[in-house]
Amino acid sequence: MMSYLASKVTAATSTSNGGAAGTHDDDFIEAVVCQELEIGENQMKQVELGEGKVLLVRQNGKLSAIGNKCSHYGAMLVTGALGEGRVRCPWHGACFNVETGDIEDFPGMDSLPCYRVTVGEAGEVKVRAKRTELATNKRTRVMAKRAAQDARTYVVIGGGPSGATCAETLRQEGFTGRIVMINKEPCLPYDRVKVSKTMDLNLEKVLLRTQQFYDENDIEVMLGTAVTKLDGATHELTLDNGYKIRYDKAYIATGSNPRRPPIEGASLGNVCVLRTAADAKQVNEQLAPEKRVVILGTSFIGLEAAAYCVNKVAKVTVIGRGAVPLKESFGDAIGQRVMELFEEKGVQFVMNSGIRRCIGAEGAVQQVELTDGTLLDADICIFGIGSTLYTEFLQGSGISLNRNGSINTDQYLESNLEGVYVGGDIANAPVHSNDGQQATIGHYPLAQYHGRVAALNMIGKATPLKAVPFFWTVLFGKSFRYCGYGQPDEVIIDGDLAALKFVAFYIGKGGRVIGMSSCQRDPVVAQFAEYSSQGKVLHKEDLTPNPLSWVPA
């Protein structure tokens, strides 16, 4: 869709509804929304248009208008971060082009509508919008159709958010060959972040796209099917159903497998992991007021599961190997405060410990034995201790695997095999905000971004990665956000940690700010993400006397 930039024209009038008050017809609405002087350079303004709202942006002397809410979970973009040519969602970091509304960073699947803006001789700003787009605040980009004469086959291996984004982007960017997306799960791609947060999820309601969408856009989807072999020399894939596919180019985003510790009883009934919608359903169906739940792991998965379960069962106990949860992500002080929050809600912790074995009867777990010999009653045990990368099938393919199963890529996400691209959890890819150094990062939005960048490069639109990792969690109604990457030497906290209203700065070598987290201080993390995406760097000395002096006024 073209971008509608403001131009100086005489405002049109309509005699059908009072002239200057606005112009309406069956499909569109047009009206004056403000005066030009009400919005300055590098400013955003949310304005009303009929029964809807629009986001006005002025940048480089031009006015543009797009949808006012993030297409992911509906955050008001006027409260987000305005960067060069795009606005970033304050909640989860998705980015939208301010002139076209196109989604440029993730999470989410849809772009935003963009609207025509005109400025009259008296400075009145008029916006014209399609009524349906104003109501939905979403726009699916136009897709190319498969052409019979195009014999190319591009295969997407993996049906998570990364693979789904890649397949869709290929069509958005004009690819007319065959697209095949292979998913080992027996369902269409869905919003996986819901798995540990909302275990009673309705799978149909969290699908990223429907089967009708894939059918209409000529994207073949093979569900409940895994690739067992990739032959880089012959460009051939072998599937577990015996089917073979020859590919011209391939994108691999197979993600991770949840880790089960090598302990006695780890495969007992009611001993669960949380990776898929099926896993969530398995846990949720067992929850009952008399049940006792033991969770191994103080990662986001483990804590989100504990927060979901605690009001549905008799007891939840979290076992952690360190002194506080989330230390690797947020540091000791924030980790301690998070643990206190959980204890206030009734979750019990056993820290500096682990599970030696799971003890069962009739095939189901009944107790767990901790490393110090303590026995805990357990009707349900959940492992949330990380994952292994799903790349074993690539042994002998010609693709170089690292010891942990990850795959090195260049800045275009291409592997050492020409025409084979890699993204998501399994990619050891350059991180723009970390001086381009490679890292393996399992973040949902980053996986989607990888899918988009890989698709662009697969069709010849050379697009280097500009990855700025961004993730979040919601614990007992408190939203924690983090942007950046790396192990800090120091953590500086600004605000009231006790009230969970703070910004934390993670200081690395040379005093560089390598990351930032927050709670109840939006949109500061989104602002830091946009700051980093522009290649700017903060240092410790920039934080005094005002730790937020770098934030645009």
Side-chain angles (χ1 to χ4, degrees):
M1 181 177 287
M2 68 176 289
S3 168
Y4 293 108
L5 299 179
S7 58
K8 289 282 186 178
V9 299
T10 302
T13 61
S14 170
T15 57
S16 63
N17 70 349
T23 301
H24 300 262
D25 59 30
D26 290 342
D27 298 320
F28 292 88
I29 180 171
E30 186 173 21
V32 173
V33 295
C34 69
Q35 291 295 308
E36 187 179 16
L37 293 176
E38 295 178 41
I39 179 169
E41 178 68 13
N42 284 322
Q43 286 188 353
M44 300 184 290
K45 182 179 179 63
Q46 182 172 281
V47 295
E48 293 187 2
L49 179 61
E51 296 180 357
K53 291 182 172 63
V54 168
L55 184 70
L56 279 179
V57 181
R58 184 193 290 278
Q59 210 168 57
N60 299 317
K62 298 177 181 178
L63 271 177
S64 56
I66 59 174
N68 71 310
K69 293 187 293 185
C70 178
S71 63
H72 181 226
Y73 283 173
M76 294 294 180
L77 293 174
V78 72
T79 65
L82 180 61
E84 185 60 40
R86 65 185 191 175
V87 58
R88 185 180 291 266
C89 170
W91 290 356
H92 307 129
C95 292
F96 302 90
N97 188 292
V98 298
E99 295 187 6
T100 65
D102 288 349
I103 188 167
E104 295 184 347
D105 205 346
F106 301 85
M109 297 298 291
D110 291 304
S111 294
L112 299 178
C114 61
Y115 308 118
R116 187 175 70 184
V117 183
T118 56
V119 180
E121 293 181 353
E124 67 274 22
V125 177
K126 182 179 287 189
V127 176
R128 185 173 191 264
K130 186 178 289 187
R131 292 180 184 277
T132 54
E133 291 186 336
L134 196 62
T136 62
N137 200 73
K138 293 182 179 182
R139 174 176 58 86
T140 302
R141 291 182 59 192
V142 175
M143 307 278 185
K145 291 292 184 180
R146 185 179 174 187
Q149 65 272 24
D150 191 336
R152 295 173 296 171
T153 297
Y154 285 7
V155 178
V156 176
I157 307 173
S162 194
T165 302
C166 179
E168 187 168 324
T169 304
L170 288 171
R171 283 285 184 250
Q172 290 173 353
E173 297 296 331
F175 180 70
T176 57
R178 182 188 183 197
I179 299 175
V180 183
M181 181 167 63
I182 303 170
N183 186 8
K184 67 182 179 187
E185 284 193 67
C187 53
L188 294 171
Y190 58 91
D191 188 351
R192 196 181 298 278
V193 298
K194 296 281 192 181
V195 167
S196 54
K197 295 180 175 71
T198 313
M199 293 185 213
D200 60 349
L201 59 87
N202 181 327
L203 184 58
E204 291 299 314
K205 291 184 178 180
V206 297
L207 292 179
L208 300 182
R209 297 297 191 199
T210 64
Q211 183 63 54
Q212 181 181 354
F213 174 89
Y214 292 114
D215 291 342
E216 289 176 349
N217 293 292
D218 298 313
I219 298 171
E220 299 174 44
V221 182
M222 303 182 71
L223 302 178
T225 307
V227 176
T228 58
K229 181 181 178 182
L230 183 150
D231 190 326
T234 63
H235 284 214
E236 189 174 70
L237 301 172
T238 302
L239 311 185
D240 61 359
N241 59 8
Y243 190 61
K244 293 181 183 292
I245 301 177
R246 192 184 185 284
Y247 66 88
D248 292 282
K249 291 185 181 179
Y251 178 59
I252 309 173
T254 42
S256 307
N257 290 315
R259 189 189 304 275
R260 286 183 181 263
I263 60 174
E264 179 184 338
S267 59
L268 283 168
N270 302 350
V271 176
C272 310
V273 293
L274 279 173
R275 171 68 180 174
T276 67
D279 295 334
K281 182 179 180 182
Q282 180 188 8
V283 173
N284 191 65
E285 288 179 344
Q286 299 176 55
L287 300 179
E290 73 280 4
K291 296 295 182 69
R292 296 150 300 188
V293 178
V294 174
I295 298 172
L296 177 64
T298 56
S299 65
F300 292 105
I301 296 294
L303 292 186
E304 289 166 359
Y308 178 81
C309 292
V310 70
N311 291 326
K312 300 174 179 63
V313 298
K315 183 180 180 181
V316 174
T317 305
V318 177
I319 313 299
R321 66 180 180 182
V324 298
L326 301 179
K327 176 181 177 179
E328 292 79 8
S329 299
F330 291 150
D332 284 302
I334 298 173
Q336 177 64 40
R337 181 62 187 94
V338 169
M339 186 161 69
E340 292 169 359
L341 171 65
F342 272 67
E343 290 172 336
E344 292 164 6
K345 301 295 184 179
V347 177
Q348 298 183 21
F349 286 85
V350 180
M351 302 303 291
N352 297 308
S353 185
I355 294 179
R356 179 179 293 165
R357 62 180 177 136
C358 296
I359 304 168
E362 300 179 354
V365 66
Q366 290 187 331
Q367 290 182 313
V368 296
E369 180 183 348
L370 304 186
T371 51
D372 65 358
T374 300
L375 294 176
L376 296 178
D377 292 334
D379 302 294
I380 306 166
C381 181
I382 300 172
F383 293 145
I385 53 171
S387 55
T388 58
L389 303 181
Y390 187 71
T391 54
E392 299 94 335
F393 72 97
L394 295 172
Q395 295 286 350
S397 65
I399 297 175
S400 299
L401 299 178
N402 297 320
R403 290 185 61 184
N404 67 349
S406 66
I407 300 169
N408 292 341
T409 79
D410 61 15
Q411 64 177 330
Y412 305 104
L413 286 174
E414 194 168 20
S415 71
N416 64 294
L417 276 186
E418 184 179 356
V420 176
Y421 297 77
V422 178
D425 294 5
I426 66 173
N428 192 45
V431 178
H432 178 67
S433 60
N434 193 34
D435 287 333
Q437 296 182 43
Q438 290 175 307
T440 306
I441 301 173
H443 294 169
Y444 185 95
L446 184 60
Q448 281 198 275
Y449 177 66
H450 280 176
R452 178 176 183 269
V453 170
L456 289 167
N457 287 304
M458 290 169 75
I459 62 172
K461 296 184 178 181
T463 306
L465 279 172
K466 290 191 175 181
V468 180
F470 190 112
F471 68 85
W472 72 93
T473 187
V474 180
L475 304 171
F476 294 112
K478 302 295 184 184
S479 293
F480 296 82
R481 317 199 194 286
Y482 177 91
C483 172
Y485 179 77
Q487 292 297 318
D489 297 325
E490 181 183 3
V491 181
I492 298 173
I493 298 176
D494 175 70
D496 189 343
L497 182 56
L500 288 172
K501 191 173 184 179
F502 66 86
V503 181
F505 303 87
Y506 299 87
I507 313 300
K509 294 180 180 179
R512 176 174 176 165
V513 179
I514 60 173
M516 192 175 297
S517 70
S518 76
C519 185
Q520 298 189 82
R521 289 287 294 272
D522 291 339
V524 66
V525 172
Q527 289 168 329
F528 178 67
E530 200 54 33
Y531 188 91
S532 299
S533 74
Q534 296 172 23
K536 299 176 183 178
V537 177
L538 274 180
H539 290 88
K540 182 179 178 180
E541 57 265 27
D542 298 324
L543 306 180
T544 54
N546 177 9
L548 299 180
S549 61
W550 53 275
V551 175

